[in-house]
Amino acid sequence: MILSLLACTCAQPEAVVPPPVEELPDIVWVTLDTTRVDRFGSYGGADVTPNFDRLAARGVRFKWLLTHIPATLPAHSSMFTGLDPHAHQVPANGYALAEELETLAERLAGMGYDTIAVVGASVLESAMGLDQGFRIYDDELGDSKKRRFEDRADVVNERVWAALEERDSSRPLFLWVHYFDAHAPYEAPMEWHEQHVDTSYVPSWGAGPFATGDTASFKDLTPEDLAFVRNSYTAEVAWQDHNLGLLIDGLEERDLVEALVVMADHGDLLGDAPDLRFGHAASVSLPVIRVPGMLWAPGLNASVLERPVANSELASTLLARLGWEALGQGEDALTTQARPIFVEATKPKILGPKAQEQGLWNNLLKKRAVLWNDRYLVYAPQLKNRAARLWALGTEMRETEQDEVLITEGRALLQAWDDQAPGYREPDMNPTTRRALEALGYL
């Protein structure tokens, strides 16, 4: 039973001969760092994302899109290799993707694409391996957010236009753009901050924007403090969406986008889990794991895909539209049935040494989850009672009756996945990368 759920038993679509290079569509892939679904009108949220929503209305919006892991580098590694973390072996930020793994950019370059990337934070710098397959990989970051190692969305857009001046116009374009704005600290430009935040309010930690996701414990914040933080985050998401609209409009004016993917790498807690601080890497709860995502490509009609989709499936879903085979473990989400989706946290750091002592995969002792058959099991192996909680998939996730049969089934699925995990991996950061991750609050 377990092995059959882990394996793909669904029929594969018949192979289609890819079109000649001159007929291949220009592809744009945009990733939104730390962006929750509940700020998106198309997901029934706060309705501050009109540009994403209008773009999603032109293609397929993924109702239940889940990331395998709530950290920027490993989440993007899953997106661009079609592999879950046990397969691509990137347990956290600061662990480079192996050169022998095939990336989406490498696949598309082999098809004849000119490949260009512009990233908004150095957690994705070229030393981390996601530059594989990109002819141009712009990770030259300034301090437009008043700290080194990251840029605001408007500056990222300026860098995109500069990079496109160097594109090979004789080839179809694959462009990846990464925005980091919704990540803490929440410091949207004042014009956008004032639209969403009561700027006369002075939070309990003192004047100024919320400084970092780990500044204050949830239990230490007043309701007014929490509202200030959440509204500051909303302002960042709105600002980011504004720049997404400018980007896509500018690309369409240049006739450079015929296929589009927009998705987040993970969400954020924002005080929604009373046992955890702000942040994301230590949680597998739905505010962190469920992300917004959409795809449009030639031949696709506007629709909403109800079945759960892993972030490792979108590359293969896009490739299927081009008549190309799947990437990594991925499948075409539009023509196949859902498989179990496995999730693992990357923190707390204290569990890393314990894993190292036992030679275990870095995240094996941390919170984990599996989504299967419209059930979501959250398992905490680090706790003495190895707590497990079961949730039901509906209009929203809701905690359901703790059915021991289903809990046993879910834990068996997780165990089968964990049995495939690699051993412990040592970090391989150079000094520059370490300084960057420290500045961004990851170390």
Side-chain angles (χ1 to χ4, degrees):
M1 172 64 175
I2 300 303
L3 291 177
S4 66
L5 280 169
L6 283 170
C8 172
T9 58
C10 39
Q12 295 293 322
E14 292 185 8
V16 179
V17 178
V21 169
E22 60 270 17
E23 296 180 14
L24 290 172
D26 294 315
I27 300 170
V28 177
W29 191 302
V30 182
T31 55
L32 314 173
D33 216 291
T34 324
T35 303
R36 294 166 50 122
V37 298
D38 63 358
R39 295 316 192 262
F40 287 69
S42 53
Y43 284 87
D47 200 17
V48 298
T49 57
N51 292 294
F52 175 94
D53 297 339
R54 68 177 172 86
L55 295 170
R58 295 167 57 179
V60 178
R61 180 172 63 82
F62 299 95
K63 182 176 180 180
W64 289 102
L65 177 59
L66 271 63
T67 186
H68 286 292
I69 189 165
T72 300
L73 177 62
H76 281 83
S77 297
S78 286
M79 284 183 220
F80 291 139
T81 65
L83 300 172
D84 67 36
H86 292 181
H88 63 58
Q89 300 187 27
V90 179
N93 296 322
Y95 295 75
L97 183 71
E99 291 184 5
E100 59 266 24
L101 296 177
E102 183 186 23
T103 66
L104 177 61
E106 289 175 311
R107 175 73 65 83
L108 293 175
M111 294 168 64
Y113 276 84
D114 189 27
T115 52
I116 298 174
V118 180
V119 300
S122 60
V123 66
L124 298 176
E125 67 177 348
S126 60
M128 292 295 98
L130 283 177
D131 63 333
Q132 296 173 51
F134 285 103
R135 186 179 66 83
I136 296 174
Y137 194 90
D138 179 4
D139 60 355
E140 294 296 322
L141 297 150
D143 58 358
S144 61
K145 293 194 76 174
K146 300 181 182 178
R147 296 174 309 283
R148 292 180 62 197
F149 309 116
E150 60 180 297
D151 274 335
R152 289 194 189 280
D154 56 340
V155 177
V156 170
N157 282 357
E158 291 173 6
R159 291 165 52 208
V160 170
W161 307 135
L164 289 176
E165 291 294 321
E166 302 179 43
R167 76 179 184 90
D168 182 349
S169 59
S170 68
R171 300 162 61 191
L173 173 69
F174 173 52
L175 172 67
W176 168 34
V177 180
H178 166 251
Y179 292 134
F180 197 65
D181 296 73
H183 193 284
Y186 313 130
E187 298 174 321
M190 189 54 65
E191 175 188 353
W192 293 84
H193 189 73
E194 290 175 340
Q195 293 178 29
H196 300 278
V197 180
D198 178 3
T199 55
S200 67
Y201 177 71
V202 179
S204 60
W205 59 86
F210 189 60
T212 173
D214 292 322
T215 293
S217 169
F218 173 59
K219 65 183 180 182
D220 295 330
L221 299 184
T222 67
E224 293 77 15
D225 285 342
L226 185 56
F228 181 89
V229 172
R230 288 173 168 167
N231 292 337
S232 298
Y233 173 83
T234 300
E236 287 277 34
V237 175
W239 158 252
Q240 178 178 258
D241 182 77
H242 170 70
N243 284 281
L244 170 65
L246 295 176
L247 173 73
I248 302 304
D249 288 347
L251 290 169
E252 290 196 306
E253 289 173 3
R254 294 166 171 81
D255 294 323
L256 288 178
V257 53
E258 298 169 275
L260 174 68
V261 174
V262 183
M263 63 184 298
D265 60 348
H266 56 77
D268 214 8
L269 284 171
L270 293 183
D272 280 344
D275 60 326
L276 293 172
R277 293 173 178 266
F278 289 88
H280 40 268
S283 177
V284 292
S285 64
L286 264 295
V288 169
I289 298 303
R290 185 187 180 194
V291 296
M294 53 76 58
L295 161 69
W296 46 266
L300 280 185
N301 296 319
S303 63
V304 176
L305 185 65
E306 298 280 342
R307 85 133 163 114
V309 176
N311 67 345
S312 58
E313 295 181 83
L314 262 66
S316 293
T317 304
L318 172 65
L319 289 169
R321 310 282 76 76
L322 308 180
W324 212 260
E325 65 182 20
L327 183 69
Q329 301 162 323
E331 293 183 341
D332 178 6
L334 302 184
T335 62
T336 59
Q337 297 177 355
R339 294 180 295 170
I341 299 173
F342 297 98
V343 175
E344 64 183 14
T346 71
K347 289 184 179 180
K349 288 179 280 189
I350 191 173
L351 298 176
K354 293 182 180 179
Q356 183 178 18
E357 291 168 8
Q358 302 175 49
L360 301 174
W361 170 241
N362 306 54
N363 297 330
L364 209 59
L365 301 178
K366 299 167 186 177
K367 284 187 176 179
R368 6 205 12 81
V370 58
L371 175 62
W372 87 110
N373 294 342
D374 292 342
R375 292 293 185 271
Y376 189 67
L377 181 75
V378 175
Y379 175 52
Q382 78 275 21
L383 300 181
K384 289 183 179 179
N385 64 352
R386 296 179 181 267
R389 296 174 67 191
L390 191 65
W391 302 75
L393 188 68
T395 305
E396 296 294 337
M397 276 288 185
R398 59 179 178 80
E399 192 165 12
T400 187
E401 182 179 348
Q402 299 305 290
D403 186 319
E404 291 301 323
V405 173
L406 288 174
I407 289 175
T408 299
E409 183 179 335
R411 286 187 58 175
L413 282 168
L414 279 170
Q415 186 60 57
W417 185 53
D418 286 339
D419 286 344
Q420 303 170 15
Y424 184 81
R425 181 179 175 188
E426 294 285 350
D428 49 8
M429 291 172 277
N430 59 43
T432 300
T433 298
R434 178 171 290 278
R435 286 196 300 273
L437 293 181
E438 287 172 346
L440 295 173
Y442 285 119
L443 299 178

